[in-house]
Amino acid sequence: MSSAARWLACLAVLLACAPAQAARLYRWKDAQGITQYGDQPPQASADAEVDVIRFRNPPGTLARLRIEPLATRYQVWADNPGPGPVQVEVSFRQQHNLLASPALPLRKVLPAHGSVLLSSLILTDPLGGAQFDLKMDAMPGDPAAKPFDFRYRLPFDEAALRVDQGPGGRFSHNDLQNRDAIDFAVPEGTPILAARAGVVLQVESDFDKAGLDREVYGGRANFIRILHEDGTMALYAHLKPEGVLVRTGQSVREGQQIGLSGNTGFSTAPHLHFVVQVNAGMALRSVPVRMVGPMGELLFPSAPAGP
């Protein structure tokens, strides 16, 4: 098999995919009895019988790997289609008759909507054939980000405030990316508000199940990830099915409604999982937050120290 064919065969398996986004298609009959389709419901007649067809768009990607063949080498590019920076790491799964310059594995940060030349794969024997498998992992955010000292607003307007699990909670707040997370007990369907202004970086809204099997439900909740001006990213998770009310690339203001709370993913009851994270170098790490509620600044216990 040629190297190009081999590359295409493994492409779908090797690229890191971001969550898919939900969509609706509306179908109805007009006054002449002709079936019409659209991405918005008809406004002309309230009597029209409208069918709503829900479907899942093909998954997007945090970053795409692209190979450009030249006479005696291949150029390895990474493209970032998203509205925020993404860090990638590219490595060989296997290689034959190729030398990478710069050497692999390597890491690069891709700017929003940007492309970066990662490496050139040079034929060591120009008369011989080349075979290679490449792997690319992607992580949102720039590891050079420096968090500001910022006071976040409460991400909902409920008068009653209850925290089911705080920073360092033993149930699920004991890893690097969730150590500083806060689980607010809110009824399903509670309007979720942006705790800070930013740009929507990722969304998932199609997941409709919940359970305690971490392997099945861990990381599968509906969520919104918002990028802030200092490079930190807020995650609003466990939203209800189709409970995402914003789109990737949209700018949101502090206090704007962005979603509806729910009970999806690794969850036992309706709640909002809120955490602010940074890219710590191909890994997400949570950071402590200061938050203001109706009675002033909220006090959360410090998360236990750890790696």
Side-chain angles (χ1 to χ4, degrees):
M1 180 184 293
S2 70
S3 57
R6 186 179 186 83
W7 165 252
L8 290 173
C10 67
L11 180 62
V13 177
L14 301 182
L15 292 186
C17 289
Q21 299 185 33
R24 291 186 180 97
L25 182 67
Y26 297 90
R27 178 177 59 199
W28 69 95
K29 289 187 177 181
D30 62 18
Q32 286 72 42
I34 299 173
T35 300
Q36 303 286 347
Y37 293 87
D39 59 359
Q40 298 292 328
Q43 298 179 355
S45 173
D47 298 328
E49 193 172 312
V50 180
D51 294 326
V52 181
I53 305 168
R54 293 180 175 87
F55 62 95
R56 180 185 288 262
N57 289 327
T61 57
L62 279 173
R64 300 187 179 103
L65 203 54
R66 174 164 50 92
I67 306 297
E68 291 191 357
L70 302 178
T72 59
R73 67 185 63 198
Y74 298 88
Q75 287 188 331
V76 181
W77 292 79
D79 303 319
N80 175 11
V86 172
Q87 186 182 28
V88 298
E89 181 175 82
V90 178
S91 58
F92 280 118
R93 285 186 183 271
Q94 62 173 293
Q95 65 187 107
H96 171 71
N97 194 30
L98 286 170
L99 176 67
S101 179
L104 301 183
L106 62 76
R107 294 179 179 181
K108 288 285 187 179
V109 175
L110 314 179
H113 305 296
S115 299
V116 172
L117 175 61
L118 302 177
S119 183
S120 291
L121 308 182
I122 304 167
L123 294 171
T124 53
D125 178 4
L127 300 179
Q131 290 184 341
F132 59 92
D133 284 350
L134 290 175
K135 175 187 177 184
M136 184 172 74
D137 295 316
M139 189 64 58
D142 186 340
K146 303 295 182 184
F148 298 162
D149 182 12
F150 186 85
R151 294 209 308 175
Y152 291 78
R153 67 150 290 155
L154 201 63
F156 49 85
D157 278 336
E158 292 291 295
L161 176 61
R162 193 183 91 197
V163 174
D164 275 354
Q165 186 180 194
R170 294 184 178 180
F171 178 68
S172 60
H173 296 176
N174 51 9
D175 59 5
L176 185 68
Q177 59 184 316
N178 292 299
R179 187 168 292 127
D180 299 284
I182 308 158
D183 284 352
F184 294 102
V186 290
E188 185 165 353
T190 299
I192 300 303
L193 314 177
R196 181 179 179 181
V199 176
V200 179
L201 195 58
Q202 291 176 284
V203 300
E204 168 64 77
S205 62
D206 276 355
F207 200 62
D208 61 0
K209 296 180 176 58
L212 294 179
D213 187 329
R214 190 184 291 267
E215 289 191 7
V216 174
Y217 298 107
R220 296 296 309 278
N222 296 327
F223 70 88
I224 300 168
R225 186 184 303 279
I226 293 180
L227 174 69
H228 307 134
E229 62 175 328
D230 59 355
T232 59
M233 299 169 286
L235 184 72
Y236 305 76
H238 303 294
L239 305 178
K240 67 180 299 183
E242 300 186 27
V244 172
L245 306 181
V246 290
R247 67 184 183 280
T248 302
Q250 179 179 342
S251 294
V252 298
R253 65 185 183 278
E254 183 176 321
Q256 177 179 338
Q257 184 175 352
I258 58 175
L260 298 169
S261 67
N263 181 33
T264 57
F266 188 60
S267 174
T268 58
H271 72 284
L272 173 70
H273 177 90
F274 177 83
V275 63
V276 176
Q277 301 167 325
V278 294
N279 181 341
M282 292 305 298
L284 292 175
R285 174 175 60 83
S286 69
V287 295
V289 297
R290 298 171 62 202
M291 182 170 285
V292 179
M295 305 299 292
E297 186 163 344
L298 305 178
L299 297 178
F300 302 106
S302 300

